[in-house]
Amino acid sequence: MRWTEQATWLTLLAVMLAVTGLRSAEEKRVAVYGARVNYSLPVEEREKTDYVALPDAVEPLGAISVRVKEDEWRLRFNELECEFKAGQTRGRVGRTKIDLTGPFLLEGQRGYIPLHSLPVLLSRLLESRVDFHSASRRIFIGHVATRFTVEVKKGEGMVLNFSDAVNPTVSTEPGKVHLTFTHEPIVSDTGTFQFMDDKLTPAARFTESNGMAELTIQTNAPVLATFGEGRKTIRIVPAPTEAAEAPAPAVPPAAATPVEPSATAAPGTESPGDAAAAGTVAPHPAYLVVVDAGHGGAERGAALSDSLAEKEVTLAFARKLRAELQTRGMNILMLRDGDSTMSLEQRAEAVNASRAAVYVALHAANLGTGVRVYTSMLPAASTRQQLFVPWEAAQTGHTTASRTLANAVAAEIGKRDLPNAVVAAPVRPLNNLTTAAIAVEISLPGPQIETLNSPGYQQQVAAAIAAGIANAWPQVEALK
Ligand SMILES: [Zn+2]
């Protein structure tokens, strides 16, 4: 039946689980979107005005250092010196003055500026155009924007096409599906999309608030949200239930519906369909993947339980990933294949010396659910042609490839109905690597911590990562 045409299925429930605890609803935040970096920060109130901690606000965008001398606060951002004084509205960025909308605040070593001065400051620091959606607290650096179209095909549901891959939270309430975008610079000139004649999805509404964008889709029957085209397309389709034949109830729930078994890979098995779907992808013989089992030796990582150390989980997981990558014809370098100690510097040096195409670090956590795929927070830039790049920013020229890789891996994890998220975060040693680099953190598939070490679960995640790496190969190669 036509359900099986969908390549990617995510149950609404699974997606909801993915973001539980990511952000509390009440916390006031500001989002910053750059070409290849996005992050959000808490907004703190001082004297009835919104303030942000300045180091936190600029750290993801460049190398910073801070010096404090009495009431003078100095920030070095890349090559620029900035200076502010506690209680004063006038400061200095490089050689030019800047006027803040309220006094600079100094709390211990931390400097705070009014939120409404942040866009101006960012534009000076980055010498770039910066747009500020002040009501929703969203800051756009440069010409970054993800746009979308909304179409309805009669009887087939709503199709949302995005200009870039997206990873929204899906949640439902009776008669509505909410797609919440916390990481994507989604913008729209249209607020309301109406499809009066459509029985299933007569309207959609775009809103933004508190550092997030949201699409709310009105539904008159149970629906499923499915992802396709490398997460650039979301379809809102009728849920496969018998009830669909009956007249629609007045306020029907947009319920999470179990996924059709034929559309999902059974746990622990790699469906041959994956290989077929990726049929055009012939791994290059020199496609070297570095697999880094996090921690090891004296450095045990997180104590996942009384008896289970993170270093054991990451090694078992790494060995499964190696096997999965080998079956796809790739060459593997394991940074450790035993219980040895290795510093982050040693790991980074080994990766850079290997001239690998891809680096995958593996971690495990006892908090959260499902799988998180991390990339560096460094902004993308073409420093690859330079002979010498600073150690702390070695990843800069590879951020785009890393993000592509992360999205491909997340899409494969999603195909297996596992909660997943792509996160830009300062995870070491990603910033120091001169290759497409991600870190994958697996957490619980179920309520028992021991399930984290279950071979079936690890196998499933390893197969997803390997498939994602294989799928991303042509793009990663093209970005070299
Ligand atoms: Zn770890």
Side-chain angles (χ1 to χ4, degrees), residues 404-428:
T404 302
L405 181 66
N407 287 332
V409 167
E412 285 297 323
I413 292 164
K415 274 188 193 174
R416 287 156 180 82
D417 289 328
L418 296 169
N420 64 86
V422 178
V423 185
V427 176
R428 297 188 66 202

Side-chain angles (χ1 to χ4, degrees), residues 131-479:
D131 292 310
F132 184 35
H133 294 193
S134 61
S136 57
R137 292 188 293 272
R138 301 173 80 211
I139 295 173
F140 301 80
I141 299 168
H143 293 276
V144 63
T146 300
R147 298 195 169 267
F148 63 92
T149 57
V150 186
E151 276 179 283
V152 166
K153 287 187 187 141
K154 262 222 149 87
E156 286 178 38
M158 185 175 276
V159 183
L160 307 164
N161 276 306
F162 296 84
S163 59
D164 216 334
V166 293
N167 198 15
T169 311
V170 183
S171 61
T172 64
E173 62 176 286
K176 279 178 190 161
V177 178
H178 300 276
L179 305 176
T180 308
F181 301 86
T182 52
H183 293 284
E184 300 89 344
I186 307 269
V187 294
S188 177
D189 301 325
T190 310
T192 306
F193 303 84
Q194 293 213 307
F195 306 93
M196 308 283 225
D197 307 341
D198 194 69
K199 287 201 180 70
L200 183 68
T201 50
R205 217 160 85 81
F206 176 81
T207 53
E208 41 183 325
S209 68
N210 199 20
M212 291 184 281
E214 188 165 276
L215 263 167
T216 304
I217 297 143
Q218 209 179 310
T219 59
N220 286 326
V223 294
L224 277 178
T226 74
F227 290 73
E229 310 291 328
R231 300 188 82 85
K232 283 186 177 180
T233 299
I234 300 176
R235 283 168 210 275
I236 309 296
V237 297
T241 64
E242 277 87 28
E245 305 300 324
V251 189
T257 308
V259 164
E260 179 119 341
S262 64
T264 63
T269 63
E270 173 67 336
S271 94
D274 276 22
T280 53
V281 180
H284 193 275
Y287 195 31
L288 177 65
V289 179
V290 175
V291 176
D292 183 4
H295 314 284
E299 209 266 280
R300 298 170 55 82
L304 300 172
S305 74
D306 289 347
S307 57
L308 189 60
E310 185 183 354
K311 65 170 186 173
E312 298 165 38
V313 176
T314 58
L315 183 58
F317 187 18
R319 287 173 175 158
K320 292 195 176 63
L321 178 58
R322 171 176 57 190
E324 286 292 332
L325 291 166
Q326 278 167 343
T327 63
R328 286 170 175 79
M330 291 178 218
N331 298 321
I332 323 301
L333 170 67
M334 295 272 280
L335 286 192
R336 72 174 175 98
D337 195 12
D339 189 21
S340 48
T341 309
M342 252 184 128
S343 72
L344 290 166
E345 285 72 22
Q346 286 171 324
R347 288 172 204 252
E349 278 163 15
V351 178
N352 292 343
S354 75
R355 303 193 158 272
V358 165
Y359 165 88
V360 188
L362 301 175
H363 289 270
N366 55 6
L367 290 171
T369 314
V371 184
R372 290 195 183 172
V373 185
Y374 291 93
T375 60
S376 163
M377 292 185 82
L378 289 172
S382 35
T383 55
R384 278 169 295 168
Q385 273 69 44
Q386 293 178 14
L387 277 175
F388 301 101
V389 288
W391 172 254
E392 285 308 324
Q395 174 67 192
T396 307
H398 306 271
T399 315
T400 307
S402 300
R403 283 297 287 263
T404 302
L405 181 66
N407 287 332
V409 167
E412 285 297 323
I413 292 164
K415 274 188 193 174
R416 287 156 180 82
D417 289 328
L418 296 169
N420 64 86
V422 178
V423 185
V427 176
R428 297 188 66 202
L430 297 180
N431 284 1
N432 313 124
L433 304 181
T434 54
T435 182
I438 57 171
V440 179
E441 184 185 69
I442 54 167
S443 47
L444 303 189
Q448 298 292 319
I449 187 74
E450 281 69 28
T451 54
L452 189 53
N453 217 11
S454 99
Y457 178 58
Q458 289 185 2
Q459 187 67 42
Q460 208 181 357
V461 178
I465 297 170
I469 291 172
N471 293 349
W473 161 238
Q475 287 150 286
V476 168
E477 179 66 13
L479 288 164

Side-chain angles (χ1 to χ4, degrees), residues 27-38:
E27 197 179 31
K28 218 172 180 183
R29 297 186 77 90
V30 55
V32 181
Y33 309 99
R36 288 292 158 184
V37 64
N38 66 77

